Amino acid sequence: MKYKQYKDSVVNKYSQGNTSIQISEDLNIPSYAVRRLLYENNIRLGRKTPFKSKNQISISSKLVEIINGSLLGDGFLSRYIMNNNRKNCNSKLMINYSTVNNEYTNHIFNLLNLECKTYKYCFNRNLENKKIKDNGIITINTCQNQSFNSFRDTWYPFGIKIVPSDIILTSLTLAIWFQDDGYKHKSGSYYLCTDNFSFADLKILQKALLRDLNIKSSVHWNGIKQRIYIKKESSEIFKNITQSFICPFMKYKLH
């Protein structure tokens, strides 16, 4: 390709939140060349028909851990029904991240892409025409496949996300959940955000934390939000089992 020497510059500028038009103007190359170079780096711009895989894909134990961690955090499973025909009703995992967290986005993308076909898109946004640091959303999509339907049925039995009663928490699952929706507390321990789950879901998660990882927890409620608090006596265990799975960009979340 004529503009191949610009690939690293294009990807770098894109990771900083620049649009394809801005990159085109900065590097003085056509916008189609920018899109092509991003495409070659597994970054696709604009909304497109979901990628499909007709053959059932193999779901490894590691992929199960990643999916569970993402669904406890920022991920969701979408299902597309074509022409009211449920035979074409297959699912895919989708996760939205801010462009500010591009390094972590790449970390999750690479984990998923090793297990199944995965794609990235970037959508720019404006806030009343003001330039803001958080000026875009990066969406990670797995391919749309029947192998993900069982996850959709388990996590969304009534169309609303719940926590499966038989969920198994591993160090990797917990680390992804924490990086998506967790933070450290001044007490020296940690919180896991569970605002969109029911109290019954939280009890399932508490039981799984203790049973699978020997982590003791409690539910803290401030009248509006309910969150899982890792008890101080288990904070060191929590850190030890998750830190090897924490992206360098997210290390600040650990004490």
Side-chain angles (χ1 to χ4, degrees), residues 10-11 14 20 34-52 106 109 113 117-124 137-141 143:
V10 167
V11 173
Y14 175 82
S20 59
V34 173
R35 293 192 296 271
R36 177 62 184 271
L37 291 169
L38 290 173
Y39 174 88
E40 291 179 355
N41 201 55
N42 290 322
I43 302 172
R44 304 195 179 200
L45 304 178
R47 297 183 179 274
K48 298 184 182 294
T49 303
F51 290 88
K52 304 174 184 178
N106 288 334
F109 171 79
N113 201 36
K117 289 183 179 180
T118 308
Y119 306 88
K120 284 191 298 187
Y121 308 90
C122 183
F123 307 109
N124 294 310
I137 294 294
I138 299 176
T139 296
I140 296 176
N141 290 345
C143 60

CSV table of all heavy atoms in Angstrom, one decimal, residues 10-11 14 20 34-52 106 109 113 117-124 137-141 143:
chain,number,residue,atom,x,y,z
A,10,VAL,N,-0.5,6.7,12.3
A,10,VAL,CA,-2.0,6.7,12.3
A,10,VAL,C,-2.5,6.0,13.5
A,10,VAL,O,-3.4,6.6,14.2
A,10,VAL,CB,-2.5,6.0,11.0
A,10,VAL,CG1,-4.0,5.7,11.1
A,10,VAL,CG2,-2.2,6.8,9.7
A,11,VAL,N,-2.0,4.8,13.9
A,11,VAL,CA,-2.5,4.1,15.0
A,11,VAL,C,-2.2,4.9,16.3
A,11,VAL,O,-3.1,5.0,17.2
A,11,VAL,CB,-1.8,2.7,15.1
A,11,VAL,CG1,-2.2,2.0,16.4
A,11,VAL,CG2,-2.3,1.9,13.9
A,14,TYR,N,-4.7,7.8,16.5
A,14,TYR,CA,-6.0,7.3,16.7
A,14,TYR,C,-6.2,6.9,18.2
A,14,TYR,O,-7.2,7.2,18.8
A,14,TYR,CB,-6.3,6.0,15.9
A,14,TYR,CG,-7.6,5.4,16.2
A,14,TYR,CD1,-8.8,5.8,15.6
A,14,TYR,CD2,-7.6,4.2,17.0
A,14,TYR,CE1,-10.0,5.2,15.9
A,14,TYR,CE2,-8.8,3.6,17.3
A,14,TYR,CZ,-10.0,4.1,16.7
A,14,TYR,OH,-11.2,3.5,17.0
A,20,SER,N,-10.5,10.2,12.1
A,20,SER,CA,-9.9,9.8,10.9
A,20,SER,C,-9.6,11.1,10.0
A,20,SER,O,-8.6,11.2,9.4
A,20,SER,CB,-10.7,8.8,10.1
A,20,SER,OG,-12.0,9.4,9.8
A,34,VAL,N,-6.2,6.4,5.8
A,34,VAL,CA,-6.3,6.3,7.3
A,34,VAL,C,-7.1,5.1,7.7
A,34,VAL,O,-6.8,4.3,8.6
A,34,VAL,CB,-6.8,7.6,7.9
A,34,VAL,CG1,-7.0,7.4,9.4
A,34,VAL,CG2,-5.8,8.8,7.7
A,35,ARG,N,-8.3,5.0,7.1
A,35,ARG,CA,-9.3,4.0,7.5
A,35,ARG,C,-8.7,2.6,7.1
A,35,ARG,O,-8.8,1.6,7.8
A,35,ARG,CB,-10.6,4.2,6.7
A,35,ARG,CG,-11.4,5.4,7.2
A,35,ARG,CD,-12.8,5.4,6.7
A,35,ARG,NE,-12.9,5.5,5.3
A,35,ARG,CZ,-12.9,6.7,4.6
A,35,ARG,NH1,-12.9,7.8,5.3
A,35,ARG,NH2,-12.9,6.7,3.3
A,36,ARG,N,-8.0,2.5,6.0
A,36,ARG,CA,-7.4,1.3,5.6
A,36,ARG,C,-6.3,0.8,6.5
A,36,ARG,O,-6.2,-0.3,6.9
A,36,ARG,CB,-6.8,1.4,4.1
A,36,ARG,CG,-6.1,0.2,3.6
A,36,ARG,CD,-7.0,-1.0,3.5
A,36,ARG,NE,-6.3,-2.2,3.1
A,36,ARG,CZ,-6.2,-2.6,1.8
A,36,ARG,NH1,-6.7,-1.8,0.8
A,36,ARG,NH2,-5.5,-3.7,1.5
A,37,LEU,N,-5.5,1.8,6.9
A,37,LEU,CA,-4.4,1.5,7.9
A,37,LEU,C,-4.9,1.0,9.2
A,37,LEU,O,-4.4,0.1,9.9
A,37,LEU,CB,-3.4,2.7,8.0
A,37,LEU,CG,-2.6,3.0,6.8
A,37,LEU,CD1,-1.9,4.4,6.9
A,37,LEU,CD2,-1.6,1.9,6.5
A,38,LEU,N,-6.0,1.7,9.7
A,38,LEU,CA,-6.6,1.3,10.9
A,38,LEU,C,-7.2,-0.1,10.8
A,38,LEU,O,-7.2,-1.0,11.7
A,38,LEU,CB,-7.7,2.3,11.4
A,38,LEU,CG,-7.2,3.6,11.8
A,38,LEU,CD1,-8.3,4.6,12.0
A,38,LEU,CD2,-6.3,3.5,13.1
A,39,TYR,N,-7.9,-0.4,9.7
A,39,TYR,CA,-8.5,-1.7,9.4
A,39,TYR,C,-7.4,-2.8,9.5
A,39,TYR,O,-7.7,-3.9,10.0
A,39,TYR,CB,-9.1,-1.6,8.0
A,39,TYR,CG,-9.6,-3.0,7.5
A,39,TYR,CD1,-10.9,-3.4,7.8
A,39,TYR,CD2,-8.8,-3.8,6.7
A,39,TYR,CE1,-11.4,-4.6,7.4
A,39,TYR,CE2,-9.3,-5.1,6.3
A,39,TYR,CZ,-10.6,-5.4,6.6
A,39,TYR,OH,-11.1,-6.6,6.2
A,40,GLU,N,-6.2,-2.5,9.0
A,40,GLU,CA,-5.2,-3.5,9.0
A,40,GLU,C,-4.7,-3.8,10.4
A,40,GLU,O,-4.0,-4.8,10.7
A,40,GLU,CB,-4.0,-3.1,8.1
A,40,GLU,CG,-4.3,-3.1,6.6
A,40,GLU,CD,-3.2,-2.6,5.8
A,40,GLU,OE1,-2.2,-2.2,6.3
A,40,GLU,OE2,-3.3,-2.7,4.5
A,41,ASN,N,-5.0,-2.8,11.3
A,41,ASN,CA,-4.7,-3.0,12.7
A,41,ASN,C,-5.9,-3.5,13.6
A,41,ASN,O,-5.9,-3.2,14.8
A,41,ASN,CB,-4.1,-1.7,13.3
A,41,ASN,CG,-3.3,-1.9,14.5
A,41,ASN,OD1,-2.3,-2.7,14.5
A,41,ASN,ND2,-3.6,-1.2,15.6
A,42,ASN,N,-6.9,-4.1,12.9
A,42,ASN,CA,-8.1,-4.6,13.5
A,42,ASN,C,-9.0,-3.5,14.1
A,42,ASN,O,-9.7,-3.8,15.1
A,42,ASN,CB,-7.7,-5.6,14.6
A,42,ASN,CG,-7.2,-6.9,14.0
A,42,ASN,OD1,-7.7,-7.3,12.9
A,42,ASN,ND2,-6.2,-7.5,14.6
A,43,ILE,N,-8.9,-2.3,13.6
A,43,ILE,CA,-9.7,-1.2,14.1
A,43,ILE,C,-10.6,-0.8,12.9
A,43,ILE,O,-10.1,-0.4,11.9
A,43,ILE,CB,-8.9,0.0,14.6
A,43,ILE,CG1,-8.0,-0.4,15.7
A,43,ILE,CG2,-9.8,1.1,15.0
A,43,ILE,CD1,-7.0,0.7,16.1
A,44,ARG,N,-11.9,-0.9,13.1
A,44,ARG,CA,-12.9,-0.5,12.1
A,44,ARG,C,-13.7,0.6,12.5
A,44,ARG,O,-14.2,0.6,13.7
A,44,ARG,CB,-13.7,-1.7,11.7
A,44,ARG,CG,-12.9,-2.9,11.3
A,44,ARG,CD,-13.7,-4.0,10.6
A,44,ARG,NE,-12.8,-5.1,10.2
A,44,ARG,CZ,-13.1,-6.0,9.3
A,44,ARG,NH1,-14.2,-5.9,8.6
A,44,ARG,NH2,-12.3,-7.0,9.0
A,45,LEU,N,-13.9,1.6,11.7
A,45,LEU,CA,-14.7,2.8,12.0
A,45,LEU,C,-16.1,2.7,11.5
A,45,LEU,O,-16.3,2.1,10.4
A,45,LEU,CB,-14.0,4.0,11.4
A,45,LEU,CG,-12.6,4.2,11.8
A,45,LEU,CD1,-12.0,5.5,11.1
A,45,LEU,CD2,-12.4,4.4,13.3
A,46,GLY,N,-17.1,3.2,12.2
A,46,GLY,CA,-18.5,3.2,11.8
A,46,GLY,C,-19.2,2.0,12.2
A,46,GLY,O,-18.6,0.9,12.5
A,47,ARG,N,-20.5,2.0,12.2
A,47,ARG,CA,-21.4,0.9,12.5
A,47,ARG,C,-21.6,0.0,11.3
A,47,ARG,O,-22.0,0.5,10.2
A,47,ARG,CB,-22.7,1.4,13.0
A,47,ARG,CG,-22.6,2.2,14.3
A,47,ARG,CD,-24.0,2.6,14.8
A,47,ARG,NE,-23.9,3.3,16.0
A,47,ARG,CZ,-23.8,2.8,17.2
A,47,ARG,NH1,-23.8,1.5,17.4
A,47,ARG,NH2,-23.8,3.5,18.3
A,48,LYS,N,-21.3,-1.3,11.5
A,48,LYS,CA,-21.4,-2.2,10.4
A,48,LYS,C,-22.2,-3.4,10.8
A,48,LYS,O,-22.4,-3.6,12.0
A,48,LYS,CB,-20.0,-2.7,9.9
A,48,LYS,CG,-19.2,-1.5,9.4
A,48,LYS,CD,-17.9,-2.0,8.8
A,48,LYS,CE,-17.0,-0.8,8.4
A,48,LYS,NZ,-17.6,-0.2,7.2
A,49,THR,N,-22.6,-4.2,9.9
A,49,THR,CA,-23.3,-5.4,10.2
A,49,THR,C,-22.4,-6.3,11.1
A,49,THR,O,-21.2,-6.4,10.8
A,49,THR,CB,-23.6,-6.2,8.9
A,49,THR,OG1,-24.4,-5.4,8.1
A,49,THR,CG2,-24.4,-7.5,9.2
A,50,PRO,N,-23.0,-6.9,12.1
A,50,PRO,CA,-22.2,-7.7,13.1
A,50,PRO,C,-21.5,-8.8,12.3
A,50,PRO,O,-22.1,-9.5,11.5
A,50,PRO,CB,-23.2,-8.2,14.1
A,50,PRO,CG,-24.5,-8.1,13.4
A,50,PRO,CD,-24.4,-6.9,12.5
A,51,PHE,N,-20.2,-9.1,12.7
A,51,PHE,CA,-19.5,-10.2,12.1
A,51,PHE,C,-20.0,-11.5,12.6
A,51,PHE,O,-20.3,-11.7,13.7
A,51,PHE,CB,-18.0,-10.1,12.4
A,51,PHE,CG,-17.4,-8.9,11.7
A,51,PHE,CD1,-17.4,-7.6,12.3
A,51,PHE,CD2,-16.8,-9.1,10.5
A,51,PHE,CE1,-16.8,-6.6,11.7
A,51,PHE,CE2,-16.2,-8.0,9.9
A,51,PHE,CZ,-16.2,-6.7,10.5
A,52,LYS,N,-20.2,-12.4,11.6
A,52,LYS,CA,-20.8,-13.7,11.9
A,52,LYS,C,-19.8,-14.8,11.7
A,52,LYS,O,-18.9,-14.7,10.9
A,52,LYS,CB,-22.1,-13.9,11.1
A,52,LYS,CG,-23.1,-12.8,11.3
A,52,LYS,CD,-24.2,-13.0,10.3
A,52,LYS,CE,-25.2,-11.9,10.4
A,52,LYS,NZ,-26.4,-12.0,9.4
A,106,ASN,N,-7.1,-2.3,24.7
A,106,ASN,CA,-6.3,-3.2,23.9
A,106,ASN,C,-6.0,-4.4,24.7
A,106,ASN,O,-5.8,-5.5,24.1
A,106,ASN,CB,-5.0,-2.5,23.5
A,106,ASN,CG,-5.2,-1.4,22.5
A,106,ASN,OD1,-6.1,-1.5,21.7
A,106,ASN,ND2,-4.4,-0.4,22.5
A,109,PHE,N,-9.0,-6.6,24.4
A,109,PHE,CA,-9.2,-7.0,23.0
A,109,PHE,C,-8.2,-8.2,22.7
A,109,PHE,O,-8.6,-9.2,22.1
A,109,PHE,CB,-8.9,-5.8,22.1
A,109,PHE,CG,-8.8,-6.2,20.7
A,109,PHE,CD1,-9.9,-6.4,19.9
A,109,PHE,CD2,-7.5,-6.4,20.1
A,109,PHE,CE1,-9.8,-6.8,18.6
A,109,PHE,CE2,-7.4,-6.7,18.7
A,109,PHE,CZ,-8.6,-7.0,18.0
A,113,ASN,N,-9.2,-11.8,21.5
A,113,ASN,CA,-8.8,-12.1,20.1
A,113,ASN,C,-8.0,-13.4,20.0
A,113,ASN,O,-8.0,-14.0,19.0
A,113,ASN,CB,-8.1,-11.0,19.5
A,113,ASN,CG,-8.1,-11.0,18.0
A,113,ASN,OD1,-9.1,-11.3,17.4
A,113,ASN,ND2,-7.0,-10.6,17.4
A,117,LYS,N,-12.7,-14.7,17.1
A,117,LYS,CA,-12.6,-13.5,16.3
A,117,LYS,C,-13.2,-12.3,17.0
A,117,LYS,O,-14.3,-12.4,17.4
A,117,LYS,CB,-13.3,-13.8,14.9
A,117,LYS,CG,-12.6,-14.7,14.0
A,117,LYS,CD,-13.3,-14.9,12.7
A,117,LYS,CE,-12.6,-15.8,11.7
A,117,LYS,NZ,-13.3,-15.9,10.4
A,118,THR,N,-12.4,-11.3,17.1
A,118,THR,CA,-12.8,-10.1,17.8
A,118,THR,C,-12.5,-8.8,17.1
A,118,THR,O,-11.4,-8.8,16.4
A,118,THR,CB,-12.2,-10.1,19.2
A,118,THR,OG1,-12.4,-11.3,19.9
A,118,THR,CG2,-12.8,-9.0,20.1
A,119,TYR,N,-13.3,-7.8,17.2
A,119,TYR,CA,-13.1,-6.6,16.4
A,119,TYR,C,-13.3,-5.4,17.2
A,119,TYR,O,-14.0,-5.4,18.3
A,119,TYR,CB,-14.1,-6.6,15.2
A,119,TYR,CG,-14.1,-7.8,14.3
A,119,TYR,CD1,-14.9,-8.9,14.7
A,119,TYR,CD2,-13.2,-7.9,13.3
A,119,TYR,CE1,-14.8,-10.1,13.9
A,119,TYR,CE2,-13.2,-9.0,12.5
A,119,TYR,CZ,-14.0,-10.1,12.8
A,119,TYR,OH,-13.9,-11.2,12.1
A,120,LYS,N,-12.7,-4.3,16.8
A,120,LYS,CA,-12.8,-3.0,17.5
A,120,LYS,C,-13.4,-1.9,16.6
A,120,LYS,O,-13.1,-1.9,15.4
A,120,LYS,CB,-11.5,-2.5,18.0
A,120,LYS,CG,-10.9,-3.2,19.2
A,120,LYS,CD,-9.7,-2.5,19.8
A,120,LYS,CE,-8.5,-2.5,18.8
A,120,LYS,NZ,-7.3,-2.0,19.5
A,121,TYR,N,-14.2,-1.1,17.2
A,121,TYR,CA,-14.7,0.1,16.5
A,121,TYR,C,-14.5,1.3,17.4
A,121,TYR,O,-14.5,1.2,18.6
A,121,TYR,CB,-16.2,0.0,16.2
A,121,TYR,CG,-16.7,-1.3,15.5
A,121,TYR,CD1,-17.1,-2.4,16.3
A,121,TYR,CD2,-16.7,-1.4,14.1
A,121,TYR,CE1,-17.5,-3.5,15.6
A,121,TYR,CE2,-17.1,-2.5,13.5
A,121,TYR,CZ,-17.5,-3.6,14.3
A,121,TYR,OH,-17.9,-4.8,13.7
A,122,CYS,N,-14.5,2.5,16.8
A,122,CYS,CA,-14.4,3.7,17.5
A,122,CYS,C,-15.4,4.7,17.1
A,122,CYS,O,-15.6,4.9,15.9
A,122,CYS,CB,-13.0,4.4,17.4
A,122,CYS,SG,-12.8,5.9,18.4
A,123,PHE,N,-16.2,5.2,18.0
A,123,PHE,CA,-17.2,6.2,17.7
A,123,PHE,C,-16.9,7.5,18.4
A,123,PHE,O,-16.8,7.6,19.6
A,123,PHE,CB,-18.6,5.7,18.2
A,123,PHE,CG,-19.0,4.4,17.6
A,123,PHE,CD1,-19.0,3.3,18.5
A,123,PHE,CD2,-19.2,4.2,16.3
A,123,PHE,CE1,-19.3,2.0,18.0
A,123,PHE,CE2,-19.5,2.9,15.8
A,123,PHE,CZ,-19.6,1.8,16.7
A,124,ASN,N,-16.7,8.6,17.7
A,124,ASN,CA,-16.4,9.9,18.3
A,124,ASN,C,-17.7,10.5,18.7
A,124,ASN,O,-18.8,10.3,18.2
A,124,ASN,CB,-15.7,10.8,17.3
A,124,ASN,CG,-14.3,10.2,16.9
A,124,ASN,OD1,-13.6,9.9,17.8
A,124,ASN,ND2,-14.0,10.1,15.6
A,137,ILE,N,-15.8,6.5,22.1
A,137,ILE,CA,-16.1,5.2,22.7
A,137,ILE,C,-15.5,4.2,21.8
A,137,ILE,O,-15.7,4.2,20.5
A,137,ILE,CB,-17.6,5.0,22.8
A,137,ILE,CG1,-18.3,5.9,23.8
A,137,ILE,CG2,-17.9,3.5,23.2
A,137,ILE,CD1,-17.9,5.7,25.2
A,138,ILE,N,-14.8,3.3,22.3
A,138,ILE,CA,-14.3,2.1,21.6
A,138,ILE,C,-15.1,0.9,22.0
A,138,ILE,O,-15.3,0.6,23.2
A,138,ILE,CB,-12.8,1.9,21.9
A,138,ILE,CG1,-11.9,3.1,21.6
A,138,ILE,CG2,-12.3,0.6,21.2
A,138,ILE,CD1,-10.5,2.9,22.0
A,139,THR,N,-15.7,0.3,21.0
A,139,THR,CA,-16.5,-0.9,21.2
A,139,THR,C,-15.7,-2.2,20.7
A,139,THR,O,-15.2,-2.2,19.6
A,139,THR,CB,-17.8,-0.8,20.4
A,139,THR,OG1,-18.6,0.3,20.9
A,139,THR,CG2,-18.6,-2.1,20.5
A,140,ILE,N,-15.7,-3.2,21.6
A,140,ILE,CA,-15.1,-4.4,21.3
A,140,ILE,C,-16.3,-5.4,21.0
A,140,ILE,O,-17.2,-5.5,21.8
A,140,ILE,CB,-14.2,-5.0,22.5
A,140,ILE,CG1,-13.0,-4.1,22.7
A,140,ILE,CG2,-13.8,-6.4,22.2
A,140,ILE,CD1,-12.2,-4.5,23.9
A,141,ASN,N,-16.2,-6.1,19.9
A,141,ASN,CA,-17.2,-7.1,19.5
A,141,ASN,C,-16.6,-8.4,19.2
A,141,ASN,O,-15.6,-8.5,18.5
A,141,ASN,CB,-18.0,-6.7,18.2
A,141,ASN,CG,-18.9,-5.5,18.5
A,141,ASN,OD1,-19.2,-5.1,19.6
A,141,ASN,ND2,-19.3,-4.8,17.4
A,143,CYS,N,-17.3,-12.1,17.3
A,143,CYS,CA,-18.1,-12.5,16.2
A,143,CYS,C,-19.5,-13.0,16.8
A,143,CYS,O,-19.6,-13.4,17.9
A,143,CYS,CB,-17.5,-13.7,15.4
A,143,CYS,SG,-17.2,-15.2,16.4
